[in-house]
Amino acid sequence: MENKIYPADLRKPANPSHLGNPLIESLFDQLTAKEFYEILVKRGPLSRDEVLKMERSIRAQFLDSIRANFLIPNRRLFNVYELIHSSINNSYALRNPLKNSIKSNIQRDYRDFASQLTDNFEPTFSNSSMIVGISGIGKTTSINIVSALFPPALQHTDIDGESFIQIPIVKIECPKDGSIKDLCRYFFIELDRILGRKKYETEYCRNRDNASDRVVAMSKLVAAHCVGVLIVDEIQHLSKAKSGGHEAMLNFFLNLDNTLHIPIIVVGTPETVDLFSEKQRLRRRFTAGAALRWDRLPNDHEWNTIIKQLFKYQYTEEQADPNVDWASLFYSHALGVIDRAIKIFIASQKLAFKIQAKSITIDIVNKAVNNTLWIDEDIFKSIREGNLNQSRAMDLFLPDEKTDRKENYRLINIQNELLDFKIPENFYFPLIEDFINKNPTDTDTEIAFKIIKAFRQENEKSNSKSTKQIKLQPNYIEGDLRKCNTDDPSALHQDLVDLNVIAKLQDYMI
């Protein structure tokens, strides 16, 4: 395995508050949209001119690379970049190794942190986020493209007497069965891949270990390698978890965010919305940093630009007829799903090569859809005709935004804040609206902490009241072993005999 570790080259960050933090100084400042796009346009599939120089018999082999490398810089992609960059910076701003020793962080494990939460009224600042979009809209591709802009791993030497390897991004896929053990295993595998060795999976994934053991190991490695952000793709797999597995996994993410201040970016299809709606507190936490929503594209200028750019990668002898409205034809088949449009484009060219056609035509495109993408065609046909039950294609529809909700969202948000501190509902519920009216300029978090303060004061007042001490007397029953209380072995033996707990051996000897 080839390692992807680069020496950490510290530079002066643009933000003065980041000075003196080697975790941030080793990375680059946030790119402008122009700088970001200029970097991306340099990558892409092989050009038409490059492929035409090759023998016709092998040109079709390069078509599949179009799907992996085709890219149109757009605002959605830049939003993902902004999200990941800010998440990493916010994460590292709280974890400066010059102020908090890496070794001391490793010594604290997941259980220590979790136990501290129950006795701690300190606020937690979550920057975890959610990206929800229909299948094939480019979520995973965008995440991979942006992640590739960051160095996989950076070697720091002699930072306050310590040396360590910093890993800004760890991206894994959620297990299909919602298993925490498997999620941790994927984490270890990804660290091994980045570091170019097979160590952590072997060390921490054993046949008889349990999920808690792996969680502890994972939390320690997050601290040891200064992981900046954890990205978990295909989060909708949690909906398939059995025996409450999805709730355990979601709570695991919540605890990891709480205890280690690691932003977690969850990525999934529309099923994710329903999954997180089950618990308002989890939904609030995983939308604190951002909540990006990607629906099917409309048939507009952006769609036309995508198809126009896609057609630059025609590897057939001749180019398609420019007088055909290809954008509209592809939209009728793909309905704004970028991945499907790319699949149709590749399948059409493959068919053209197969039948010895010099270019793709409308007939070839239609046949490619019927021959190659037929398995989903009935669903897309139903969408076009407007008679599809959305439950048949949940991953192609985002939930409608409700504009007529009657809930007071300030009340809900404050209740969610108080859930973290286990304040009894019968205490805080009558106070919330009164606190909002008396403190109209306060944020929801500030009001929540005023209620927490009132709760603590009430507890202190209750504890200070004098109460009559009642000496409890044991209520012994017949044969109660608690009556056998002596340090004398002989006396203890006789008491047990009297209670018929043990038998006299001599009564059974011949």
Side-chain angles (χ1 to χ4, degrees):
M1 299 174 71
E2 181 182 356
N3 70 61
K4 304 174 183 296
I5 306 171
Y6 301 89
D9 184 15
L10 303 186
R11 46 87 200 174
K12 183 179 179 181
N15 187 337
S17 66
H18 295 159
L19 285 170
N21 188 331
L23 300 180
I24 298 178
E25 290 178 344
S26 62
L27 301 175
F28 52 87
D29 289 317
Q30 183 166 312
L31 301 170
T32 64
K34 182 180 179 181
E35 293 170 333
F36 177 71
Y37 295 147
E38 286 177 348
I39 291 174
L40 295 186
V41 294
K42 295 178 182 178
R43 53 167 292 168
L46 289 175
S47 69
R48 170 176 167 79
D49 290 340
E50 289 175 304
V51 176
L52 287 182
K53 293 177 184 178
M54 303 177 187
E55 294 292 332
R56 188 183 194 279
S57 59
I58 65 170
R59 290 177 198 165
Q61 298 176 19
F62 298 96
L63 288 170
D64 289 326
S65 67
I66 295 176
R67 187 182 179 197
N69 299 314
F70 176 73
L71 173 67
I72 297 295
N74 55 67
R75 185 64 200 179
R76 283 182 173 179
L77 189 57
F78 186 66
N79 288 341
V80 172
Y81 166 72
E82 288 183 309
L83 171 60
I84 292 179
H85 192 281
S86 62
S87 296
I88 292 174
N89 272 0
N90 291 333
S91 173
Y92 286 154
L94 299 171
R95 300 156 59 205
N96 188 342
L98 294 181
K99 295 181 179 180
N100 303 289
S101 169
I102 299 293
K103 291 180 180 178
S104 65
N105 285 339
I106 296 174
Q107 291 172 354
R108 299 177 300 173
D109 63 22
Y110 180 85
R111 293 191 184 100
D112 293 332
F113 284 127
S115 65
Q116 290 170 12
L117 288 177
T118 59
D119 305 319
N120 195 334
F121 282 93
E122 292 297 320
T124 57
F125 300 94
S126 171
N127 284 292
S128 293
S129 306
M130 179 188 301
I131 300 176
V132 177
I134 64 166
S135 292
I137 201 63
K139 303 181 300 296
T140 300
T141 300
S142 298
I143 289 288
N144 291 340
I145 289 170
V146 172
S147 298
L149 297 177
F150 293 82
L154 295 164
Q155 176 70 62
H156 292 263
T157 57
D158 197 22
I159 299 296
D160 200 22
E162 297 182 11
S163 296
F164 59 91
I165 297 174
Q166 172 189 357
I167 299 179
I169 299 173
V170 175
K171 177 185 175 293
I172 56 179
E173 185 175 304
C174 182
K176 292 184 178 180
D177 61 352
S179 164
I180 293 179
K181 286 183 64 174
D182 280 345
L183 181 132
C184 294
R185 183 169 65 86
Y186 295 166
F187 179 85
F188 302 139
I189 292 173
E190 180 62 11
L191 287 188
D192 284 336
R193 185 190 69 81
I194 293 172
L195 298 173
R197 62 194 184 196
K198 191 170 183 180
K199 175 183 176 183
Y200 292 138
E201 183 189 9
T202 303
E203 184 174 352
Y204 296 117
C205 298
R206 300 174 181 174
N207 293 333
R208 296 185 179 181
D209 65 0
N210 54 45
S212 297
D213 295 329
R214 295 188 183 184
V215 167
V216 171
M218 182 177 175
S219 65
K220 289 181 178 179
L221 294 179
V222 164
H225 289 298
C226 299
V227 175
V229 63
L230 175 63
I231 301 174
V232 185
D233 201 359
E234 305 292 354
I235 196 71
Q236 72 276 1
H237 289 168
L238 293 183
S239 64
K240 299 178 176 63
K242 300 178 180 179
S243 304
H246 72 285
E247 183 172 345
M249 179 83 71
L250 289 173
N251 284 327
F252 162 69
F253 290 152
L254 178 64
N255 288 334
L256 191 64
D257 177 57
N258 279 343
T259 59
L260 293 178
H261 299 288
I262 300 297
I264 300 169
I265 300 176
V266 295
V267 185
T269 61
E271 295 172 86
T272 306
V273 176
D274 293 334
L275 187 67
F276 278 76
S277 295
E278 294 178 9
K279 283 196 173 185
Q280 287 292 336
R281 178 171 60 144
L282 293 172
R283 187 169 183 172
R284 171 177 59 84
R285 285 299 183 89
F286 285 95
T287 57
L292 304 185
R293 175 186 171 95
W294 291 7
D295 208 341
R296 289 184 289 123
L297 295 178
N299 189 6
D300 59 6
H301 175 72
E302 183 180 0
W303 180 261
N304 276 265
T305 301
I306 290 172
I307 301 303
K308 182 179 179 180
Q309 293 297 320
L310 187 60
F311 267 62
K312 288 184 177 181
Y313 301 102
Q314 297 180 63
Y315 296 160
T316 52
E317 282 86 354
E318 298 178 4
Q319 298 194 56
D321 186 351
N323 296 317
V324 174
D325 186 357
W326 295 108
S328 294
L329 176 65
F330 271 68
Y331 195 86
S332 68
H333 285 301
L335 297 177
V337 179
I338 299 173
D339 185 63
R340 184 172 172 86
I342 296 173
K343 287 179 179 177
I344 293 172
F345 182 68
I346 294 173
S348 299
Q349 289 201 67
K350 286 184 176 181
L351 180 57
F353 278 110
K354 184 177 180 179
I355 65 176
Q356 302 298 315
K358 291 185 177 181
S359 67
I360 63 174
T361 63
I362 295 176
D363 184 55
I364 287 177
V365 170
N366 292 334
K367 286 182 177 178
V369 171
N370 292 330
N371 295 343
T372 309
L373 291 89
W374 57 269
I375 193 167
D376 294 328
E377 181 55 23
D378 63 327
I379 293 178
F380 280 84
K381 181 180 178 181
S382 298
I383 295 175
R384 285 191 291 270
E385 296 173 352
N387 60 5
L388 175 69
N389 183 342
Q390 291 190 10
S391 63
R392 287 188 59 208
M394 292 179 60
D395 58 348
L396 291 176
F397 292 92
L398 282 175
D400 293 332
E401 292 289 339
K402 296 182 180 179
T403 57
D404 57 345
R405 293 189 179 187
K406 299 180 180 180
E407 295 97 337
N408 184 327
Y409 282 97
R410 292 208 70 187
L411 290 174
I412 294 175
N413 287 338
I414 294 170
Q415 289 181 61
N416 287 335
E417 294 275 1
L418 296 172
L419 284 173
D420 292 342
F421 301 100
K422 299 182 179 180
I423 307 298
E425 183 177 342
N426 61 354
F427 177 84
Y428 70 72
F429 195 80
L431 299 179
I432 294 181
E433 193 166 353
D434 183 52
F435 272 64
I436 292 175
N437 293 334
K438 290 181 179 178
N439 307 277
T441 61
D442 283 2
T443 65
D444 296 343
T445 300
E446 289 171 335
I447 290 177
F449 277 97
K450 285 181 178 179
I451 294 175
I452 292 170
K453 184 178 180 181
F455 177 71
R456 296 182 70 180
Q457 291 174 343
E458 184 70 22
N459 276 351
E460 291 172 358
K461 189 184 298 183
S462 299
N463 293 336
S464 64
K465 292 179 180 180
S466 59
T467 57
K468 184 177 180 180
Q469 300 295 319
I470 302 175
K471 186 175 181 180
L472 298 177
Q473 296 293 335
N475 182 24
Y476 295 127
I477 61 174
E478 184 67 26
D480 200 321
L481 293 178
R482 289 176 294 173
K483 298 170 66 175
C484 303
N485 184 14
T486 176
D487 294 330
D488 184 353
S490 300
L492 177 61
H493 178 270
Q494 186 58 48
D495 288 342
L496 293 173
V497 170
D498 294 341
L499 289 172
N500 292 321
V501 175
I502 59 176
K504 296 180 182 179
L505 290 179
Q506 56 267 32
D507 292 344
Y508 298 92
M509 298 179 65
I510 299 176

